[in-house]
Amino acid sequence: MFEIFLVSVLFSMLGLILGFARNGFQVQGNPLADALDAVLPQTQCGQCGFPGCRPYAEAVAENEADINQCPPGGENTVAALAELMGIDPKPLNAEYGIEKPKAIAFVVEAECIGCTLCIDACPVDAILGASKMMHTVIQTECTGCELCIEPCPVDCIVMKPNEETLDDWQWSKPVMPCIRCGDCVTACPANLLPQELYHQCNTSALDQAGEYGLMDCIECGLCNNVCPSQIPLVQYFMAGKKQLEAKQRDRIKAKLFKLRYANRLERLRQASDERKRSIQRKKQALKKITITPSGDSYSRTAF
C-alpha cells in the first residue's frame, strides 16, 4: 500500500515539474516569423498588401504570401527571405511597386495648411505639428513610406532622396580578375584571407565579409604590393567597410522604426479604449437623468 502511495506522489511531482518546464521553456510566437521580420526594412508602408512588416512576415512564414512583395527592401530583401525560407530567390513582383532610391518626406512649410491628415497617416509618428499650425518631418525618423503624400489636400509633401555623405559614399570599384595565387594571404600581418574578402566585397556579400574579419583589416597595403594582378585590394576593403557600416546603421534604424510603429499602435489602442470608456460614462450619466413635463416646460431630475 505504501509503495502505491509513493509511486503516486512521484508521478504527481513529475507532472508538476513537466508543467513548470512547459510554461518556462515554451517558445513564444513564431521563430520563423521573427527571423523574417528582422530582415524586412520596417518602413511599415503597406505596399506588400499587409498592414505593416510584421503581418507580412507572418504571412510569408505561413506560406500565405510570396517573398517578393516588398519594394522598399528590393532584391536584397527577397534574397534574404528566400534564404530563410529555404527556397530560390525570385524577381521583385512589380504589381506591388518597384525598388526606389531611399528618400524621406519633406513638408513645403509655406504651403502647409495644418490639416493634420499627414500626422494621422504616418505609421511611426515622424511628423510634428498641430491643427492649423505648420507641420514638419523628423528626417531621422522618416521611413520613406510615402503614406503621408496621398492624404495631403494641398500636395505640399514631396519625397527627397537621401543626401550622400562620406559615410554613404560608395567607391565605383573596377572589376579585376583574381588568380587565387595566395600571395596576399601570406603577406597579411592580420592573418586574414584577402582573396576571400576581395570576392565578398566585389559581390556585396558584406555579412560574410564581416564574418571573415573585414573590420579587422588594418589597411597596411601589403596585399596590394604582392598582388600579381595589381588589384587595389585595400581600396576594396575600405569601400566594403563603409558599406558594411551603412548596412549595420540601416539595421539599427529598422529596429527603431519597428519600435516607433509598435508605440504608435499602442497609443492608438489606448486612445480608442479611452473614447469607448468616455462614451460609456456619458450613456450611464444619461440613464440617471429623467425628463418630466412641468407646465409649459420640462424639468430634469438626476438620480
Side-chain angles (χ1 to χ4, degrees):
M1 187 68 179
F2 176 76
E3 290 80 359
I4 296 176
F5 174 76
L6 182 60
V7 171
S8 301
V9 171
L10 289 175
F11 275 106
S12 299
M13 293 178 63
L14 181 60
L16 290 173
I17 293 173
L18 291 175
F20 283 122
R22 182 180 63 85
N23 293 330
F25 297 101
Q26 64 180 350
V27 178
Q28 301 293 335
N30 187 336
L32 179 56
D34 294 339
L36 295 171
D37 187 35
V39 301
L40 292 175
Q42 303 302 323
T43 54
Q44 316 299 341
C45 61
Q47 293 186 63
C48 58
F50 294 87
C53 295
R54 178 67 190 192
Y56 174 53
E58 293 175 348
V60 173
E62 298 295 334
N63 291 317
E64 297 176 356
D66 213 338
I67 61 173
N68 59 348
Q69 297 177 200
C70 179
E75 300 295 341
N76 291 335
T77 296
V78 173
L81 294 176
E83 182 178 358
L84 290 171
M85 293 295 292
I87 59 178
D88 294 331
K90 56 183 66 176
L92 193 65
N93 191 338
E95 294 181 3
Y96 297 92
I98 59 174
E99 185 177 4
K100 301 177 182 178
K102 293 181 180 180
I104 57 176
F106 178 80
V107 177
V108 183
E109 298 173 348
E111 301 176 6
C112 177
I113 61 175
C115 65
T116 72
L117 293 178
C118 58
I119 295 178
D120 296 333
C122 180
V124 293
D125 289 337
I127 302 179
L128 292 178
S131 179
K132 299 182 181 179
M133 303 292 286
M134 181 186 69
H135 301 348
T136 188
V137 178
I138 307 174
Q139 296 186 2
T140 56
E141 306 297 341
C142 177
T143 67
C145 66
E146 302 185 8
L147 292 177
C148 56
I149 295 179
E150 184 176 352
C152 179
V154 294
D155 294 331
C156 70
I157 300 178
V158 296
M159 300 301 297
K160 289 189 173 182
N162 289 350
E163 295 182 359
E164 189 175 64
T165 65
L166 289 176
D167 292 331
D168 301 325
W169 176 80
Q170 296 184 10
W171 173 53
S172 299
K173 304 182 291 292
V175 178
M176 307 179 74
C178 172
I179 61 175
R180 298 278 181 173
C181 63
D183 289 349
C184 56
V185 177
T186 304
C188 179
N191 295 322
L192 300 177
L193 300 174
Q195 61 185 23
E196 294 297 332
L197 293 176
Y198 164 72
H199 173 72
Q200 291 153 4
C201 290
N202 199 27
T203 57
S204 297
L206 298 176
D207 289 331
Q208 190 174 1
E211 295 175 359
Y212 272 71
L214 174 62
M215 303 305 292
D216 296 329
C217 173
I218 61 176
E219 302 171 11
C220 63
L222 292 178
C223 53
N224 283 13
N225 296 337
V226 299
C227 179
S229 298
Q230 298 183 345
I231 301 175
L233 294 170
V234 171
Q235 284 69 23
Y236 274 90
F237 302 156
M238 293 171 63
K241 284 182 179 181
K242 283 188 171 293
Q243 294 175 23
L244 184 57
E245 289 172 350
K247 192 172 184 179
Q248 292 171 346
R249 287 196 300 270
D250 288 342
R251 287 173 178 169
I252 294 174
K253 290 183 66 175
K255 292 180 180 179
L256 294 177
F257 291 156
K258 182 178 179 180
L259 179 61
R260 291 183 66 90
Y261 180 62
N263 290 339
R264 178 177 184 270
L265 293 180
E266 178 62 20
R267 177 177 60 79
L268 294 177
R269 184 192 66 79
Q270 292 179 0
S272 177
D273 292 344
E274 180 58 30
R275 283 194 297 269
K276 292 178 181 179
R277 287 193 293 268
S278 178
I279 293 173
Q280 188 64 26
R281 287 194 296 267
K282 291 180 180 179
K283 288 182 177 179
Q284 292 176 355
L286 289 174
K287 289 181 180 179
K288 296 179 180 180
I289 298 176
T290 59
I291 301 176
T292 58
S294 176
D296 294 335
S297 61
Y298 290 86
S299 62
R300 295 185 177 183
T301 304
F303 295 93

